[in-house]
Amino acid sequence: MAEGNWTRVGEFILMSFSSLPTEIQSLLFLIFLIIYLVTLLGNSLIILVTLTDPMLHSPMYFFLRNLSLLEIGFNLVIVPKMLGTLLAWDTTISFLGCAMQMYFLFFFGVAECVLLATMAYDRYVAICNPLHYPVIMNQRTRAKLAVASWFPGFPVATVQTTWLFSFPFCGTNKVNHFFCDSPPVLRLVCADTAMFEIYAIVGTVLVIMIPCLLILCSYIRIAVAILQIPSAKGKHKAFSTCSSHLLVVSLFYVSLSLTYFRPKSNNSPESKKLLSLSYTVVTPMLNPIIYSLRNNEVKNALGRTFRKALGLRICIP
């Protein structure tokens, strides 16, 4: 539908990694497919063992189960479409489809930021107030904390997505990314977006920095408490209970900060795609691996689950 010298955009084309040779794109498809399957399997196993194994019914594993649910949702929103664009099955995405992808990207991203802060608070209570931990982190409290972690994603995603897609999109419809992220879609708007950009920058800083500061404060208190433990064995045990979470937080926040807080002069579209892969594709795969390899309780629970499953299979005639 023409309007002046512009053409209204009814769908978008995801450029993905179209600048790369076809052979490289096919190789990337295989690599990302394997990562995707490992991510779904790993996070599904974490959810399964934390639900079924009585030894993992503590608040720490309740929050870990929520994190795995978030990672699965994050991957389902982004990776299947990306795999399709790599093989050129369908590089187009409808106007509504792009808006929905962006909405859930914001929702899961904000929820993960807040949930990681909640998990840091859980570790703070466990290490700094071990005697009161079962009382403080009772079933009702952890349910409220989980709801409080998931909820902020709704208003942030609703406001930012609704506002961005209320602008007129004119001319080119090519999104230079492998998913509908806010900056590349915003470049297609043919209107004054100054107020939205201010809102987006302030919102991103608040969403990332406030949970990050809460995590930092929690771990400063945790570090002080660990240093006061007299025995080396006690220090090691206390640190091991939060080392997995600390590693997951570091991976997530470093990649997220490099993606959204780098100067524009150093932020080419191709480099941003690579950085985006780290927190949208790679980190969700690494989280269950980190918790499995660095946590003896999870490893033992996985062993019990597999032995139980094999035992049932052997017993069935």
Side-chain angles (χ1 to χ4, degrees):
M1 178 177 175
E3 187 174 283
N5 294 325
W6 298 101
T7 303
R8 289 191 180 275
V9 172
E11 64 180 15
F12 297 98
I13 298 174
L14 295 174
M15 299 302 291
S16 192
F17 300 95
S18 57
S19 60
L20 298 175
T22 305
E23 296 79 8
I24 301 297
Q25 291 190 59
S26 299
L27 178 61
L28 288 176
F29 171 84
L30 182 60
I31 293 171
F32 293 149
L33 177 61
I34 293 171
I35 291 176
Y36 178 58
L37 295 176
V38 171
T39 300
L40 293 183
L41 177 62
N43 284 288
S44 297
L45 282 174
I46 291 291
I47 294 171
L48 176 65
V49 296
T50 55
L51 279 173
T52 59
D53 196 296
M55 300 297 292
L56 301 184
H57 285 176
S58 66
M60 173 182 174
Y61 298 109
F62 170 78
F63 293 123
L64 177 58
R65 183 163 64 247
N66 277 265
L67 179 62
S68 291
L69 282 170
L70 279 174
E71 300 292 26
I72 289 174
F74 215 90
N75 258 236
L76 289 174
V77 169
I78 294 173
V79 180
K81 185 62 182 177
M82 181 184 68
L83 293 175
T85 59
L86 281 170
L87 287 189
W89 289 337
D90 185 11
T91 59
T92 63
I93 184 169
S94 67
F95 189 89
L96 179 59
C98 187
M100 292 300 293
Q101 188 181 55
M102 188 181 294
Y103 178 90
F104 285 108
L105 173 72
F106 287 139
F107 169 71
F108 287 122
V110 172
E112 184 159 349
C113 287
V114 181
L115 182 61
L116 289 173
T118 302
M119 294 174 75
Y121 173 72
D122 171 71
R123 292 298 83 210
Y124 158 74
V125 176
I127 293 173
C128 298
N129 296 284
L131 297 179
H132 298 95
Y133 179 65
V135 177
I136 296 173
M137 298 300 292
N138 57 56
Q139 191 170 0
R140 185 176 180 181
T141 300
R142 64 193 190 213
K144 288 181 178 179
L145 287 172
V147 171
S149 299
W150 285 79
F151 177 75
F154 286 109
V156 173
T158 300
V159 172
Q160 187 143 336
T161 305
T162 304
W163 191 353
L164 177 53
F165 281 86
S166 67
F167 287 119
F169 291 88
C170 312
T172 181
N173 63 342
K174 294 180 179 179
V175 178
N176 194 9
H177 215 318
F178 58 88
F179 64 91
C180 286
D181 198 6
S182 179
V185 173
L186 190 63
R187 294 190 188 101
L188 308 182
V189 171
C190 53
D192 182 9
T193 60
M195 288 300 297
F196 175 83
E197 291 182 56
I198 294 172
Y199 162 80
I201 292 171
V202 173
T204 301
V205 170
L206 291 177
V207 164
I208 294 177
M209 295 309 298
I210 290 178
C212 190
L213 289 173
L214 292 174
I215 292 169
L216 184 61
C217 291
S218 296
Y219 274 106
I220 289 173
R221 297 291 298 273
I222 288 170
V224 171
I226 290 176
L227 290 174
Q228 293 175 349
I229 299 174
S231 68
K233 185 178 179 180
K235 289 179 181 179
H236 176 74
K237 184 178 179 181
F239 178 74
S240 65
T241 63
C242 56
S243 59
S244 297
H245 175 256
L246 189 57
L247 183 55
V248 167
V249 167
S250 300
L251 288 171
F252 181 76
Y253 273 99
V254 167
S255 59
L256 202 64
S257 298
L258 287 174
T259 302
Y260 291 102
F261 293 150
R262 287 206 311 166
K264 288 187 176 181
S265 58
N266 300 326
N267 205 5
S268 68
E270 299 306 317
S271 65
K272 186 167 183 179
K273 289 177 192 178
L274 292 175
L275 288 170
S276 298
L277 283 172
S278 60
Y279 76 88
T280 58
V281 179
V282 179
T283 300
M285 176 194 69
L286 292 178
N287 288 354
I289 296 175
I290 291 169
Y291 274 101
S292 299
L293 294 180
R294 297 183 62 87
N295 191 303
N296 288 327
E297 289 182 337
V298 174
K299 284 192 286 188
N300 294 334
L302 285 169
R304 288 191 295 269
T305 301
F306 283 127
R307 286 193 295 271
K308 185 178 179 180
L310 290 172
L312 287 172
R313 182 175 295 181
I314 293 171
C315 292
I316 295 174

